[in-house]
Every structure is written in C-alpha cells, then in structure tokens.
Amino acid sequence: MSKILDINSAMEMLGGDPDLFKILLSSFLNDKNFDIARLVELEKAEDTTEAAKYVHYFKGAARQIGAEELGEAGQELEDVLRKKKTGDLEKLNKNFARAYNDLLPFIQSTLVDIGAKECSFTNPPKSDPQS
C-alpha cells in the first residue's frame, strides 16, 4: 500500500464504489489546484484562518481518495495555522507542496489503470515547493 495513494483504503471508505472513486480522483485533478503562492499570501495575514481553510480543503479531499501522505502533511500544517501546535511554516509548506506534487502523477496513472481515460487534466500545474 502506498502512502501517496492507498487505493484499498479509499475503496473501503467509499464502500467499494469504483465509479465514485473515479469521480473523486478526477475532481481532485480538475476542480481546484493547490497554489503555494496563494497559501503563502494567506499566511501573511494576521489571522491565518483563511490559510487554514485553504489547506483543510486539500487535506479533506486527499483523505477521501486515500492520499495519506498529503492528508498527514495537511493536518500538520493546518494545526500550526490554527495555533494548535507550533512549527516551521516554511518547512511545512514545502512538505505539503511536495506531497501534493507527488500525488498528481499517481492519480493520473490510477485513472488510466481503472479506465477513466476521459479525465481531461493531462498536465497538472506544479506547485513550486521551493517558494
């Protein structure tokens, strides 16, 4: 089982529904793309609530599809943004962006493997983890 994309875990969470899994994978690629620059901009505000909401969106979507690594990175980052823990935002941002970028090719390959070739998102933009 891959920590990047755990298909078995996702299918269990989705009651074994492959069509729903395809929809969620496709939605993850097509609906909203993570932008590290946007996150950093939101983090600069005195109140980091919007930054936490931004991370929460991707963390939640990641967990629905079994993307454990992104879900864990998102939880760590969100906890710091919500002041539940302390941590190095720059390091956490880079870790989150890396996990996001690592996930995208796994989703694309999984969609091809399960026959969802109708997915129109062939070259997702990368979020620069160096930012």
Side-chain angles (χ1 to χ4, degrees):
M1 285 188 273
S2 171
K3 282 191 60 120
I4 294 175
L5 186 62
D6 185 344
I7 296 169
N8 293 330
S9 173
M11 290 301 290
E12 185 177 313
M13 184 183 305
L14 300 172
D17 186 340
D19 292 329
L20 179 56
F21 187 53
K22 287 183 214 178
I23 290 167
L24 291 174
L25 289 175
S26 189
S27 175
F28 191 92
L29 288 177
N30 293 305
D31 289 353
K32 188 173 182 180
N33 295 306
F34 174 69
D35 179 0
I36 187 77
R38 175 75 178 133
L39 176 60
V40 170
E41 178 185 316
L42 292 169
E43 288 173 346
K44 288 179 181 176
E46 188 172 323
D47 179 2
T48 57
T49 302
E50 290 304 313
K53 288 178 184 177
Y54 188 70
V55 170
H56 182 84
Y57 171 87
F58 291 99
K59 177 196 75 175
R63 287 185 169 165
Q64 285 183 323
I65 61 170
E68 296 176 10
E69 193 172 302
L70 182 59
E72 290 169 7
Q75 187 66 60
E76 289 177 28
L77 179 54
E78 186 179 352
D79 285 348
V80 171
L81 291 169
R82 293 194 189 277
K83 314 265 190 265
K84 293 180 180 180
K85 294 182 180 178
T86 59
D88 180 343
L89 275 181
E90 185 177 345
K91 180 180 174 185
L92 293 169
N93 286 347
K94 286 180 181 179
N95 189 40
F96 188 75
R98 182 202 44 77
Y100 178 83
N101 289 327
D102 288 352
L103 175 61
L104 299 179
F106 276 85
I107 292 174
Q108 291 173 324
S109 127
T110 301
L111 283 167
V112 169
D113 290 347
I114 60 177
K117 294 181 177 146
E118 70 276 4
C119 179
S120 63
F121 205 97
T122 55
N123 292 311
K126 293 232 176 205
S127 297
D128 182 9
Q130 302 305 317
S131 295

PDB file of all heavy atoms in Angstrom, residues 7-26 64-65 110-111 114:
ATOM      1  N   ILE A   7      -5.185   2.993  -2.519  1.00  0.00           N
ATOM      2  CA  ILE A   7      -6.441   2.692  -3.205  1.00  0.00           C
ATOM      3  C   ILE A   7      -7.338   1.803  -2.348  1.00  0.00           C
ATOM      4  O   ILE A   7      -8.554   2.014  -2.292  1.00  0.00           O
ATOM      5  CB  ILE A   7      -6.160   2.052  -4.570  1.00  0.00           C
ATOM      6  CG1 ILE A   7      -5.429   3.061  -5.457  1.00  0.00           C
ATOM      7  CG2 ILE A   7      -7.451   1.583  -5.237  1.00  0.00           C
ATOM      8  CD1 ILE A   7      -4.865   2.489  -6.734  1.00  0.00           C
ATOM      9  N   ASN A   8      -6.758   0.834  -1.676  1.00  0.00           N
ATOM     10  CA  ASN A   8      -7.563  -0.061  -0.838  1.00  0.00           C
ATOM     11  C   ASN A   8      -8.288   0.706   0.263  1.00  0.00           C
ATOM     12  O   ASN A   8      -9.465   0.475   0.525  1.00  0.00           O
ATOM     13  CB  ASN A   8      -6.696  -1.172  -0.239  1.00  0.00           C
ATOM     14  CG  ASN A   8      -6.173  -2.120  -1.288  1.00  0.00           C
ATOM     15  OD1 ASN A   8      -6.808  -2.337  -2.321  1.00  0.00           O
ATOM     16  ND2 ASN A   8      -5.014  -2.689  -1.040  1.00  0.00           N
ATOM     17  N   SER A   9      -7.577   1.608   0.900  1.00  0.00           N
ATOM     18  CA  SER A   9      -8.180   2.422   1.956  1.00  0.00           C
ATOM     19  C   SER A   9      -9.298   3.293   1.396  1.00  0.00           C
ATOM     20  O   SER A   9     -10.374   3.415   1.991  1.00  0.00           O
ATOM     21  CB  SER A   9      -7.103   3.298   2.608  1.00  0.00           C
ATOM     22  OG  SER A   9      -7.666   4.202   3.508  1.00  0.00           O
ATOM     23  N   ALA A  10      -9.037   3.911   0.237  1.00  0.00           N
ATOM     24  CA  ALA A  10     -10.056   4.766  -0.385  1.00  0.00           C
ATOM     25  C   ALA A  10     -11.292   3.957  -0.751  1.00  0.00           C
ATOM     26  O   ALA A  10     -12.423   4.384  -0.480  1.00  0.00           O
ATOM     27  CB  ALA A  10      -9.485   5.448  -1.629  1.00  0.00           C
ATOM     28  N   MET A  11     -11.084   2.798  -1.346  1.00  0.00           N
ATOM     29  CA  MET A  11     -12.225   1.977  -1.759  1.00  0.00           C
ATOM     30  C   MET A  11     -13.032   1.508  -0.549  1.00  0.00           C
ATOM     31  O   MET A  11     -14.260   1.456  -0.603  1.00  0.00           O
ATOM     32  CB  MET A  11     -11.751   0.776  -2.589  1.00  0.00           C
ATOM     33  CG  MET A  11     -11.233   1.175  -3.968  1.00  0.00           C
ATOM     34  SD  MET A  11     -12.467   2.045  -4.968  1.00  0.00           S
ATOM     35  CE  MET A  11     -13.587   0.719  -5.310  1.00  0.00           C
ATOM     36  N   GLU A  12     -12.342   1.212   0.540  1.00  0.00           N
ATOM     37  CA  GLU A  12     -13.042   0.827   1.765  1.00  0.00           C
ATOM     38  C   GLU A  12     -13.895   1.987   2.280  1.00  0.00           C
ATOM     39  O   GLU A  12     -15.050   1.810   2.657  1.00  0.00           O
ATOM     40  CB  GLU A  12     -12.026   0.392   2.825  1.00  0.00           C
ATOM     41  CG  GLU A  12     -12.664  -0.135   4.085  1.00  0.00           C
ATOM     42  CD  GLU A  12     -11.621  -0.608   5.076  1.00  0.00           C
ATOM     43  OE1 GLU A  12     -10.698  -1.341   4.676  1.00  0.00           O
ATOM     44  OE2 GLU A  12     -11.752  -0.250   6.269  1.00  0.00           O
ATOM     45  N   MET A  13     -13.304   3.200   2.271  1.00  0.00           N
ATOM     46  CA  MET A  13     -14.023   4.377   2.742  1.00  0.00           C
ATOM     47  C   MET A  13     -15.227   4.681   1.852  1.00  0.00           C
ATOM     48  O   MET A  13     -16.251   5.180   2.330  1.00  0.00           O
ATOM     49  CB  MET A  13     -13.097   5.597   2.770  1.00  0.00           C
ATOM     50  CG  MET A  13     -13.748   6.834   3.350  1.00  0.00           C
ATOM     51  SD  MET A  13     -12.710   8.303   3.303  1.00  0.00           S
ATOM     52  CE  MET A  13     -11.240   7.752   4.139  1.00  0.00           C
ATOM     53  N   LEU A  14     -15.115   4.342   0.572  1.00  0.00           N
ATOM     54  CA  LEU A  14     -16.166   4.644  -0.391  1.00  0.00           C
ATOM     55  C   LEU A  14     -17.127   3.477  -0.606  1.00  0.00           C
ATOM     56  O   LEU A  14     -17.912   3.486  -1.554  1.00  0.00           O
ATOM     57  CB  LEU A  14     -15.546   5.053  -1.738  1.00  0.00           C
ATOM     58  CG  LEU A  14     -14.635   6.278  -1.698  1.00  0.00           C
ATOM     59  CD1 LEU A  14     -13.940   6.476  -3.026  1.00  0.00           C
ATOM     60  CD2 LEU A  14     -15.423   7.518  -1.298  1.00  0.00           C
ATOM     61  N   GLY A  15     -17.061   2.503   0.267  1.00  0.00           N
ATOM     62  CA  GLY A  15     -17.963   1.358   0.163  1.00  0.00           C
ATOM     63  C   GLY A  15     -17.726   0.519  -1.079  1.00  0.00           C
ATOM     64  O   GLY A  15     -18.639  -0.133  -1.572  1.00  0.00           O
ATOM     65  N   GLY A  16     -16.496   0.549  -1.600  1.00  0.00           N
ATOM     66  CA  GLY A  16     -16.149  -0.266  -2.752  1.00  0.00           C
ATOM     67  C   GLY A  16     -16.708   0.246  -4.075  1.00  0.00           C
ATOM     68  O   GLY A  16     -16.793  -0.512  -5.042  1.00  0.00           O
ATOM     69  N   ASP A  17     -17.096   1.502  -4.131  1.00  0.00           N
ATOM     70  CA  ASP A  17     -17.726   2.072  -5.341  1.00  0.00           C
ATOM     71  C   ASP A  17     -16.659   2.636  -6.287  1.00  0.00           C
ATOM     72  O   ASP A  17     -16.189   3.758  -6.097  1.00  0.00           O
ATOM     73  CB  ASP A  17     -18.700   3.166  -4.924  1.00  0.00           C
ATOM     74  CG  ASP A  17     -19.514   3.722  -6.069  1.00  0.00           C
ATOM     75  OD1 ASP A  17     -19.101   3.566  -7.253  1.00  0.00           O
ATOM     76  OD2 ASP A  17     -20.558   4.329  -5.795  1.00  0.00           O
ATOM     77  N   PRO A  18     -16.282   1.884  -7.344  1.00  0.00           N
ATOM     78  CA  PRO A  18     -15.228   2.357  -8.244  1.00  0.00           C
ATOM     79  C   PRO A  18     -15.631   3.601  -9.038  1.00  0.00           C
ATOM     80  O   PRO A  18     -14.780   4.428  -9.366  1.00  0.00           O
ATOM     81  CB  PRO A  18     -14.973   1.167  -9.169  1.00  0.00           C
ATOM     82  CG  PRO A  18     -16.212   0.344  -9.101  1.00  0.00           C
ATOM     83  CD  PRO A  18     -16.806   0.582  -7.741  1.00  0.00           C
ATOM     84  N   ASP A  19     -16.909   3.745  -9.332  1.00  0.00           N
ATOM     85  CA  ASP A  19     -17.344   4.928 -10.078  1.00  0.00           C
ATOM     86  C   ASP A  19     -17.170   6.194  -9.241  1.00  0.00           C
ATOM     87  O   ASP A  19     -16.715   7.221  -9.742  1.00  0.00           O
ATOM     88  CB  ASP A  19     -18.801   4.791 -10.535  1.00  0.00           C
ATOM     89  CG  ASP A  19     -18.966   3.714 -11.598  1.00  0.00           C
ATOM     90  OD1 ASP A  19     -18.009   3.495 -12.377  1.00  0.00           O
ATOM     91  OD2 ASP A  19     -20.038   3.089 -11.641  1.00  0.00           O
ATOM     92  N   LEU A  20     -17.523   6.103  -7.970  1.00  0.00           N
ATOM     93  CA  LEU A  20     -17.342   7.245  -7.076  1.00  0.00           C
ATOM     94  C   LEU A  20     -15.853   7.562  -6.929  1.00  0.00           C
ATOM     95  O   LEU A  20     -15.456   8.730  -6.922  1.00  0.00           O
ATOM     96  CB  LEU A  20     -17.973   6.971  -5.704  1.00  0.00           C
ATOM     97  CG  LEU A  20     -17.825   8.073  -4.661  1.00  0.00           C
ATOM     98  CD1 LEU A  20     -18.387   9.407  -5.167  1.00  0.00           C
ATOM     99  CD2 LEU A  20     -18.505   7.657  -3.354  1.00  0.00           C
ATOM    100  N   PHE A  21     -15.032   6.526  -6.844  1.00  0.00           N
ATOM    101  CA  PHE A  21     -13.582   6.729  -6.734  1.00  0.00           C
ATOM    102  C   PHE A  21     -13.063   7.472  -7.960  1.00  0.00           C
ATOM    103  O   PHE A  21     -12.288   8.429  -7.837  1.00  0.00           O
ATOM    104  CB  PHE A  21     -12.883   5.373  -6.562  1.00  0.00           C
ATOM    105  CG  PHE A  21     -11.411   5.468  -6.273  1.00  0.00           C
ATOM    106  CD1 PHE A  21     -10.927   6.253  -5.238  1.00  0.00           C
ATOM    107  CD2 PHE A  21     -10.510   4.753  -7.029  1.00  0.00           C
ATOM    108  CE1 PHE A  21      -9.558   6.328  -4.964  1.00  0.00           C
ATOM    109  CE2 PHE A  21      -9.147   4.820  -6.759  1.00  0.00           C
ATOM    110  CZ  PHE A  21      -8.675   5.606  -5.736  1.00  0.00           C
ATOM    111  N   LYS A  22     -13.479   7.064  -9.161  1.00  0.00           N
ATOM    112  CA  LYS A  22     -13.070   7.746 -10.391  1.00  0.00           C
ATOM    113  C   LYS A  22     -13.493   9.215 -10.367  1.00  0.00           C
ATOM    114  O   LYS A  22     -12.721  10.098 -10.737  1.00  0.00           O
ATOM    115  CB  LYS A  22     -13.696   7.081 -11.622  1.00  0.00           C
ATOM    116  CG  LYS A  22     -13.113   5.764 -11.994  1.00  0.00           C
ATOM    117  CD  LYS A  22     -13.802   5.276 -13.265  1.00  0.00           C
ATOM    118  CE  LYS A  22     -13.935   3.790 -13.272  1.00  0.00           C
ATOM    119  NZ  LYS A  22     -14.639   3.300 -14.470  1.00  0.00           N
ATOM    120  N   ILE A  23     -14.719   9.456  -9.937  1.00  0.00           N
ATOM    121  CA  ILE A  23     -15.228  10.833  -9.876  1.00  0.00           C
ATOM    122  C   ILE A  23     -14.378  11.667  -8.925  1.00  0.00           C
ATOM    123  O   ILE A  23     -13.998  12.798  -9.244  1.00  0.00           O
ATOM    124  CB  ILE A  23     -16.712  10.849  -9.441  1.00  0.00           C
ATOM    125  CG1 ILE A  23     -17.585  10.290 -10.560  1.00  0.00           C
ATOM    126  CG2 ILE A  23     -17.155  12.249  -9.048  1.00  0.00           C
ATOM    127  CD1 ILE A  23     -19.021   9.975 -10.128  1.00  0.00           C
ATOM    128  N   LEU A  24     -14.073  11.117  -7.746  1.00  0.00           N
ATOM    129  CA  LEU A  24     -13.287  11.867  -6.762  1.00  0.00           C
ATOM    130  C   LEU A  24     -11.857  12.117  -7.244  1.00  0.00           C
ATOM    131  O   LEU A  24     -11.310  13.202  -7.037  1.00  0.00           O
ATOM    132  CB  LEU A  24     -13.284  11.144  -5.420  1.00  0.00           C
ATOM    133  CG  LEU A  24     -14.618  11.129  -4.678  1.00  0.00           C
ATOM    134  CD1 LEU A  24     -14.531  10.255  -3.437  1.00  0.00           C
ATOM    135  CD2 LEU A  24     -15.066  12.528  -4.321  1.00  0.00           C
ATOM    136  N   LEU A  25     -11.255  11.115  -7.890  1.00  0.00           N
ATOM    137  CA  LEU A  25      -9.905  11.308  -8.420  1.00  0.00           C
ATOM    138  C   LEU A  25      -9.898  12.393  -9.496  1.00  0.00           C
ATOM    139  O   LEU A  25      -9.056  13.292  -9.489  1.00  0.00           O
ATOM    140  CB  LEU A  25      -9.361  10.005  -9.010  1.00  0.00           C
ATOM    141  CG  LEU A  25      -8.990   8.901  -8.037  1.00  0.00           C
ATOM    142  CD1 LEU A  25      -8.593   7.639  -8.798  1.00  0.00           C
ATOM    143  CD2 LEU A  25      -7.883   9.331  -7.098  1.00  0.00           C
ATOM    144  N   SER A  26     -10.841  12.306 -10.402  1.00  0.00           N
ATOM    145  CA  SER A  26     -10.941  13.293 -11.473  1.00  0.00           C
ATOM    146  C   SER A  26     -11.215  14.682 -10.905  1.00  0.00           C
ATOM    147  O   SER A  26     -10.625  15.673 -11.334  1.00  0.00           O
ATOM    148  CB  SER A  26     -12.031  12.877 -12.454  1.00  0.00           C
ATOM    149  OG  SER A  26     -12.012  13.690 -13.587  1.00  0.00           O
ATOM    150  N   GLN A  64     -10.206  11.660   1.306  1.00  0.00           N
ATOM    151  CA  GLN A  64     -11.297  10.946   0.629  1.00  0.00           C
ATOM    152  C   GLN A  64     -10.779   9.963  -0.411  1.00  0.00           C
ATOM    153  O   GLN A  64     -11.423   8.950  -0.665  1.00  0.00           O
ATOM    154  CB  GLN A  64     -12.237  11.926  -0.076  1.00  0.00           C
ATOM    155  CG  GLN A  64     -13.153  12.663   0.838  1.00  0.00           C
ATOM    156  CD  GLN A  64     -14.088  13.563   0.047  1.00  0.00           C
ATOM    157  OE1 GLN A  64     -13.719  14.155  -0.961  1.00  0.00           O
ATOM    158  NE2 GLN A  64     -15.314  13.653   0.519  1.00  0.00           N
ATOM    159  N   ILE A  65      -9.641  10.274  -1.013  1.00  0.00           N
ATOM    160  CA  ILE A  65      -9.121   9.394  -2.067  1.00  0.00           C
ATOM    161  C   ILE A  65      -7.983   8.502  -1.586  1.00  0.00           C
ATOM    162  O   ILE A  65      -7.355   7.808  -2.375  1.00  0.00           O
ATOM    163  CB  ILE A  65      -8.675  10.201  -3.304  1.00  0.00           C
ATOM    164  CG1 ILE A  65      -7.558  11.185  -2.963  1.00  0.00           C
ATOM    165  CG2 ILE A  65      -9.873  10.898  -3.956  1.00  0.00           C
ATOM    166  CD1 ILE A  65      -6.905  11.851  -4.163  1.00  0.00           C
ATOM    167  N   THR A 110      -3.537   6.109 -11.923  1.00  0.00           N
ATOM    168  CA  THR A 110      -4.640   5.308 -11.390  1.00  0.00           C
ATOM    169  C   THR A 110      -5.884   5.466 -12.253  1.00  0.00           C
ATOM    170  O   THR A 110      -6.580   4.490 -12.542  1.00  0.00           O
ATOM    171  CB  THR A 110      -4.937   5.693  -9.932  1.00  0.00           C
ATOM    172  OG1 THR A 110      -3.754   5.471  -9.154  1.00  0.00           O
ATOM    173  CG2 THR A 110      -6.081   4.882  -9.353  1.00  0.00           C
ATOM    174  N   LEU A 111      -6.163   6.688 -12.681  1.00  0.00           N
ATOM    175  CA  LEU A 111      -7.315   6.917 -13.561  1.00  0.00           C
ATOM    176  C   LEU A 111      -7.175   6.139 -14.861  1.00  0.00           C
ATOM    177  O   LEU A 111      -8.138   5.538 -15.343  1.00  0.00           O
ATOM    178  CB  LEU A 111      -7.495   8.408 -13.838  1.00  0.00           C
ATOM    179  CG  LEU A 111      -8.131   9.204 -12.707  1.00  0.00           C
ATOM    180  CD1 LEU A 111      -7.978  10.704 -12.946  1.00  0.00           C
ATOM    181  CD2 LEU A 111      -9.592   8.843 -12.538  1.00  0.00           C
ATOM    182  N   ILE A 114      -7.706   2.377 -14.140  1.00  0.00           N
ATOM    183  CA  ILE A 114      -9.082   1.944 -13.867  1.00  0.00           C
ATOM    184  C   ILE A 114     -10.035   2.360 -14.986  1.00  0.00           C
ATOM    185  O   ILE A 114     -11.249   2.286 -14.832  1.00  0.00           O
ATOM    186  CB  ILE A 114      -9.579   2.422 -12.487  1.00  0.00           C
ATOM    187  CG1 ILE A 114      -9.577   3.934 -12.374  1.00  0.00           C
ATOM    188  CG2 ILE A 114      -8.799   1.769 -11.375  1.00  0.00           C
ATOM    189  CD1 ILE A 114     -10.120   4.460 -11.050  1.00  0.00           C
TER     190      ILE A 114
END
